Amino acid sequence: MIPSLEDYDISPLWGFLPSQLPLTRLPQDYYAQWETIADNLPSLILTKRIRNVIDKLPLLTIDNLNNDEREYRRAYQVLGFLGHAYIWGTDMPIDKLPLQIAEPWIAVADKLGLPPVGTYASLCLWNYKQIIPSDDILDLDNLTCINTFTGAIDEHWFYLVSVYFEQKGALAIATGMEALKCAKEGDIPMLTKNLQQMAETIDLLGTALMRMEEMCDPHIFYFRIRPYLAGWKNMASVGLDNGVFYGNEKAPRGYAGGSNAQSSLIQFFDIILGVKHFATGDLKADSSFMDEMRQYMPRKHREFLTALEPYSTTIKQIVQAEEDKELTLAFDACLAMLKAFRDKHIQIVTRYVVLQAKKINKMGSNSTLRSGLARKKQNGEEKGTGGTSLLPFLKQCRDETGNAAAGSWGKRILTDGMLRLKYSKPNGINEDD
């Protein structure tokens, strides 16, 4: 049976965002010290007091939380901000989390089925609130972030763009599921209509992504914000050779940091349209980066993607069997828009990471924070906060998108690049770099 959105905490209006506004604070006085530190995180990082303050915390358990998903999410979120600030909040990272953070973070992460590390969910999906109280929770212009590391407008905007992106994607989820239903029932006219609408919605997501440039400066993102988003996997070049020790554990843990690859929305598109991805050269041969990132998604969302996977070829098979030109064009238009979206993502990454990394040698800084995590980097591919090589991974995902085209004409133009949008390349960056 085709999975139902409601069974997996997915809303036709909010998509993978929660249908209720996230908690801005844990209601129990017992956790007030966590919340006070989170409220003052930018100042504590600025004065380099964050580790000293956290070291003085008492060891709190999660036993005083009500058996409530929103409270678990808030505890996971606030501990994530404190944990990442502790590791990255001074000039040099530290490879050990104190028991006061490690123990409750592990416990609440286990409750949620997530790793104890900052994730896309804790940074974006559960990190927004209303500016002015209103009954209209769909008013995106009335939202701001609950927590940041820096307090900068740029950091608020960086997270909020993902909130906008996820909410705008809700229609594409509902339309894609309706298209799948039509394919199962053999309703070709409605399948065509839903695919056309889905293509238009994916196109809008590219516009939402490009809003990043409105209020988030690339230099500030790379050198002031990005270091706090990193995890402790593949971070030997900046001092975390083996990962991070949690409390009294004898072996270190290695986790990827928050990454847009942890968005369930993009993987939803790949599944519904039959796009297949394969491991890149720098990853394990038996596991792709996309599969790994699914483990950082909220439990019900990744269960939804797993339940949807048996239907990954359903729509494409109907499209190919019908040989209906309008239907084929609608399906290939979805892929064209998804590929165009990935082109825009590459453009953003180029401006916000790759070009900024080229400044490192000119700056001559030995501080991890001041160098945007590229302090010891001289040559080679820039790594993302998720731990993989950025441009090779993103370009491969983009190129693999075109391989799912149903029509011979669509396959030719998608794989040959005739539909690739021609964006102006920033100075110093070539498509083949």
Side-chain angles (χ1 to χ4, degrees), residues 107-118:
V108 76
D110 288 344
K111 288 282 188 181
L112 292 169
L114 286 167
V117 72

Side-chain angles (χ1 to χ4, degrees), residues 281-293:
D282 64 330
L283 299 172
K284 295 178 181 178
D286 61 348
S287 176
S288 74
F289 180 70
M290 302 292 272
D291 290 337
E292 179 188 352
M293 288 297 98

Side-chain angles (χ1 to χ4, degrees), residues 73-368:
R73 289 173 180 174
R74 176 58 190 163
Y76 178 78
Q77 178 190 6
V78 72
L79 287 166
F81 272 89
L82 268 55
H84 278 253
Y86 192 92
I87 297 297
W88 299 109
T90 65
D91 289 341
M92 294 294 293
I94 189 169
D95 67 353
K96 181 178 175 62
L97 276 171
L99 200 63
Q100 301 96 304
I101 296 295
E103 189 170 292
W105 199 6
I106 291 170
V108 76
D110 288 344
K111 288 282 188 181
L112 292 169
L114 286 167
V117 72
T119 59
Y120 181 82
S122 62
L123 292 164
C124 301
L125 298 183
W126 306 334
N127 189 27
Y128 59 92
K129 63 181 180 180
Q130 290 185 323
I131 300 170
I132 300 172
S134 168
D135 292 334
D136 183 10
I137 65 172
L138 288 173
D139 182 3
L140 298 178
D141 292 330
N142 191 38
L143 297 181
T144 189
C145 292
I146 301 170
N147 293 110
T148 65
F149 294 102
T150 66
I153 291 174
D154 305 73
E155 187 178 356
H156 280 271
W157 190 248
F158 178 74
Y159 303 145
L160 286 174
V161 165
S162 291
V163 176
Y164 298 156
F165 171 80
E166 294 289 342
Q167 198 280 320
K168 296 298 182 184
L171 176 59
I173 297 172
T175 305
M177 295 303 290
E178 189 62 29
L180 180 58
K181 179 182 176 182
C182 292
K184 291 285 289 181
E185 295 174 351
D187 188 341
I188 303 307
M190 286 305 297
L191 173 58
T192 303
K193 182 178 179 179
N194 279 291
L195 288 174
Q196 289 170 341
Q197 186 174 33
M198 187 175 177
E200 293 171 3
T201 307
I202 296 174
D203 184 41
L204 291 176
L205 294 179
T207 302
L209 179 67
M210 296 306 291
R211 291 192 66 186
M212 185 69 69
E213 298 174 333
E214 292 179 18
M215 298 289 285
C216 184
D217 180 84
H219 180 92
I220 291 176
F221 168 75
Y222 188 85
F223 292 99
R224 299 292 181 268
I225 301 168
R226 184 174 181 261
Y228 301 107
L229 309 181
W232 19 98
K233 181 179 181 180
N234 297 335
M235 288 294 168
S237 64
V238 290
L240 296 181
D241 294 341
N242 301 304
V244 165
F245 293 88
Y246 280 62
N248 297 326
E249 292 183 349
K250 303 302 181 184
R253 298 185 181 214
Y255 295 119
S259 168
N260 283 350
Q262 295 163 10
S263 167
S264 303
L265 184 56
I266 299 303
Q267 291 208 22
F268 168 79
F269 291 141
D270 284 339
I271 293 173
I272 207 78
L273 296 171
V275 177
K276 302 295 183 184
H277 296 291
F278 303 93
T280 51
D282 64 330
L283 299 172
K284 295 178 181 178
D286 61 348
S287 176
S288 74
F289 180 70
M290 302 292 272
D291 290 337
E292 179 188 352
M293 288 297 98
R294 194 175 292 187
Q295 303 310 308
Y296 294 78
M297 297 175 184
R299 177 163 40 205
K300 285 196 173 183
H301 295 173
R302 66 173 180 263
E303 288 175 352
F304 168 73
L305 296 178
T306 300
L308 193 63
E309 280 182 332
Y311 302 94
S312 62
T313 61
T314 299
I315 293 178
K316 182 177 178 179
Q317 287 176 346
I318 291 294
V319 172
Q320 291 177 321
E322 288 295 321
E323 297 184 352
D324 181 298
K325 290 184 178 180
E326 188 176 14
L327 175 62
T328 301
L329 181 60
F331 179 82
D332 287 348
C334 289
L335 293 169
M337 293 302 100
L338 185 56
K339 190 172 184 180
F341 167 81
R342 285 188 155 123
D343 263 319
K344 291 181 179 180
H345 192 194
I346 290 171
Q347 182 183 356
I348 290 289
V349 168
T350 298
R351 290 179 177 174
Y352 280 77
V353 178
V354 178
L355 281 179
Q356 303 310 311
K358 290 179 178 291
K359 300 177 181 179
I360 297 302
N361 291 335
K362 297 178 182 179
M363 297 178 67
S365 173
N366 288 323
S367 163
T368 301

